[in-house]
Amino acid sequence: MWVKILDKEPKEGEMVEVVIEGKDLFVTLNQGNLYCADNRCPHEDIKLTLGCLKDNRIKCSLHGFSFDLITGNSTHKSVDNLRIYPIKQENNKIYLKL
């Protein structure tokens, strides 16, 4: 099921927090592509929106672990991967697949 989560596309490099059905998520436009993921680092449960984007990764501000925005893969084998969600844009609205 696709659910509308934003009325407009974020600006390039912007991370927008959204809460949908009790899930704390973020949406970002990075290198021209939209991404949506859990807004919690799997390592220490800190908001990833406090971190930064570099290339195609989001970096946690606490310990510096980073996660691929496409796959969710962590840079460290001892840290769980980040959950990524399917996202699309239609008529300037942003939708998330739950």
Side-chain angles (χ1 to χ4, degrees), residues 3-72:
V3 177
K4 184 181 81 159
I5 57 171
L6 292 173
D7 288 323
K8 65 179 183 173
E9 181 179 88
K11 295 176 185 173
E12 181 71 30
E14 178 183 24
M15 292 184 280
V16 178
E17 294 184 51
V18 295
V19 176
I20 186 80
E21 295 189 13
K23 297 176 190 275
D24 186 12
L25 310 172
F26 74 90
V27 176
T28 189
L29 181 66
N30 187 52
Q31 299 178 351
N33 295 306
L34 281 170
Y35 300 98
C36 182
D38 283 336
N39 192 20
R40 293 281 178 195
C41 178
H43 176 246
E44 286 288 333
D45 198 34
I46 189 170
K47 287 187 177 215
L48 288 171
T49 49
L50 297 173
C52 63
L53 297 169
K54 184 174 182 183
D55 299 321
N56 210 38
R57 303 189 72 79
I58 185 161
K59 184 177 179 182
C60 179
S61 64
L62 190 59
H63 292 113
F65 295 121
S66 71
F67 305 89
D68 187 285
L69 288 171
I70 297 171
T71 65

